[in-house]
Amino acid sequence: MRSSTKRQASVLAMMSWSVWAQAQNQVGEAPAGDSRPPAVAPLFEQPGVLTPRGKLVLEPSLQFGYASSNRVVLVGYTIIPALLIGLVDVREVKRNTTTAALTLRYGLSRRAELEIKLPYVYRSDSTVSREVFTGTGVDNVFDTSGKGMGDAELGLRYQLNEGGGDQAFYVAGLRVKSRTGIDPFNVVTDCSPRCVGPNVTGTGLPLELPTGSGFYALQPSVTWLYPSDPAILFGSVSYLHNFKRSGVNRKVLNGQWEPLGTVAPGDVFGFNFGVGLALNDRALISFGYDHSSIARTRQNGVTVPGSVRTQLGTLLVGFSYRINEKRTVNVTVGAGLTRDTPDVQLSLRLPLTF
């Protein structure tokens, strides 16, 4: 009995020592910091903060874009620089695009998340044209529109480092774009029997606007966020590769098809940067710039005539307000800085966390 009592007392003493030592270690350790990137008012497609593990974010969004451009087409030849023999076609294009999307994001782990985006697109174009030297002073208006599912997207993001303190957070991303939208080669084009070559009739404009690009695409990216009290600096670099298509045919009037062969749209190199500020514990504001450089389009291995490298620059302002722990309102306004960029972009996002 005495030996058994001694053994129990010894075990209790060892357990007490273990608990005391563990408590001392916990007192001496600094509290663990949050290794997740800081929150900013979202400006770009790639969000900064990853979804926590096991959490689901449902984000309905609505985006509107308006663009206008003027184009002068000279159809003829010149005998001296000041004299044109032929026609001058002056066109003014006004374009409205509204995209409603439903995005699902799920936290796979502490550092990884999966994203699925399902867009629905409505587009409307108005083209105002006048041919001079033809005895008419009347503007011709060509209206067209299109609506339907856009190109669905699948994305994966992974945080590369712990970050925090004086270190930046780095998040790698990979996005795959499908061809679920209406193909631009399947809508009827207003020309017959073909849109290129002699004896062409029609405007060459689509009678129905497509809602997709018609090409599969893959986009890797790297996003960085650097906390610098009281601001947060952020930015990203991306490269979008469009996969070429072979055996492409364009649909024209009278049910005819014009063979185009192999079409390879230009790849897109993009970068953006910005700064975010916390107004209080609920409101955030961000300022940023987004730029995309689109390479030339090639057809059957040759650059398409008239195709040039296009530069798109947009100045963005975003505001975010956290209603509660599960609901947030994000508003973004963008203004185009280059001729080919939409004049204005407005977007509203309402992420819900479950």
Side-chain angles (χ1 to χ4, degrees):
M1 289 291 297
R2 292 183 178 179
S3 59
S4 175
T5 303
K6 290 182 178 180
R7 284 196 300 270
Q8 292 178 0
S10 177
V11 171
L12 291 174
M14 293 177 63
M15 292 176 61
S16 301
W17 171 260
S18 176
V19 171
W20 178 84
Q22 184 178 3
Q24 293 298 318
N25 291 335
Q26 290 178 350
V27 172
E29 292 177 354
D34 189 2
S35 61
R36 299 177 63 227
V40 295
L43 295 178
F44 316 115
E45 290 295 329
Q46 303 88 351
V49 177
L50 298 180
T51 305
R53 180 180 180 180
K55 295 290 186 178
L56 177 67
V57 175
L58 177 65
E59 182 182 275
S61 63
L62 184 66
Q63 184 179 55
F64 171 77
Y66 171 78
S68 63
S69 64
N70 296 323
R71 188 180 69 171
V72 178
V73 180
L74 305 180
V75 183
Y77 62 93
T78 57
I79 54 177
I80 59 175
L83 180 61
L84 172 71
I85 305 300
L87 301 178
V88 179
D89 183 16
V90 181
R91 290 184 178 179
E92 181 182 359
V93 181
K94 299 182 182 297
R95 177 166 298 166
N96 298 274
T97 304
T98 302
T99 304
L102 184 63
T103 304
L104 299 174
R105 288 192 291 268
Y106 180 75
L108 299 176
S109 67
R110 189 171 60 90
R111 289 192 177 188
E113 74 171 9
L114 182 68
E115 178 184 276
I116 299 175
K117 184 176 182 180
L118 303 174
Y120 185 88
V121 181
Y122 174 77
R123 297 177 55 189
S124 63
D125 285 5
S126 295
T127 304
V128 182
S129 64
R130 175 188 297 184
E131 292 180 350
V132 298
F133 298 151
T134 60
T136 179
V138 179
D139 290 333
N140 297 317
V141 180
F142 186 89
D143 292 323
T144 183
S145 63
K147 60 182 178 179
M149 285 296 300
D151 292 335
E153 301 176 4
L154 177 65
L156 179 66
R157 276 182 288 273
Y158 181 78
Q159 183 177 331
L160 300 176
N161 66 332
E162 288 289 342
D166 293 332
Q167 295 183 352
F169 295 85
Y170 293 95
V171 179
L174 185 65
R175 182 171 68 98
V176 179
K177 188 185 71 64
S178 66
R179 286 174 42 195
T180 55
I182 299 176
D183 198 314
F185 301 108
N186 288 336
V187 298
V188 179
T189 304
D190 183 28
C191 52
S192 178
R194 52 190 296 125
C195 297
V196 178
N199 303 323
V200 175
T201 60
T203 63
L205 298 173
L207 298 180
E208 179 187 0
L209 296 179
T211 60
S213 66
F215 297 89
Y216 289 103
L218 183 68
Q219 183 185 43
S221 64
V222 176
T223 302
W224 59 271
L225 299 97
Y226 182 76
S228 179
D229 190 39
I232 299 174
L233 308 178
F234 57 89
S236 68
V237 177
S238 64
Y239 186 84
L240 177 67
H241 174 68
N242 291 294
F243 294 94
K244 64 181 180 180
R245 288 179 59 183
S246 301
V248 178
N249 296 290
R250 174 166 47 190
K251 191 175 183 179
V252 296
L253 295 176
N254 302 322
Q256 296 175 305
W257 292 86
E258 177 187 2
L260 300 178
T262 301
V263 179
D267 293 343
V268 183
F269 171 75
F271 68 89
N272 54 58
F273 56 86
V275 58
L277 298 170
L279 303 180
N280 51 49
D281 60 342
R282 289 179 176 264
L284 302 170
I285 190 170
S286 297
F287 305 91
Y289 174 78
D290 183 72
H291 192 95
S292 297
S293 179
I294 307 174
R296 299 179 177 182
T297 300
R298 301 176 67 87
Q299 181 180 357
N300 297 323
V302 180
T303 301
V304 174
S307 177
V308 297
R309 179 173 287 274
T310 305
Q311 307 293 337
L312 306 179
T314 307
L315 185 64
L316 296 158
V317 178
F319 177 78
S320 177
Y321 184 80
R322 182 171 58 87
I323 300 175
N324 51 43
E325 295 181 356
K326 295 184 178 181
R327 291 187 296 173
T328 306
V329 177
N330 301 320
V331 180
T332 305
V333 179
L337 301 183
T338 60
R339 170 172 290 185
D340 299 307
T341 310
D343 299 333
V344 62
Q345 299 180 46
L346 302 173
S347 65
L348 174 66
R349 304 177 185 177
L350 301 172
L352 305 173
T353 303
F354 298 93

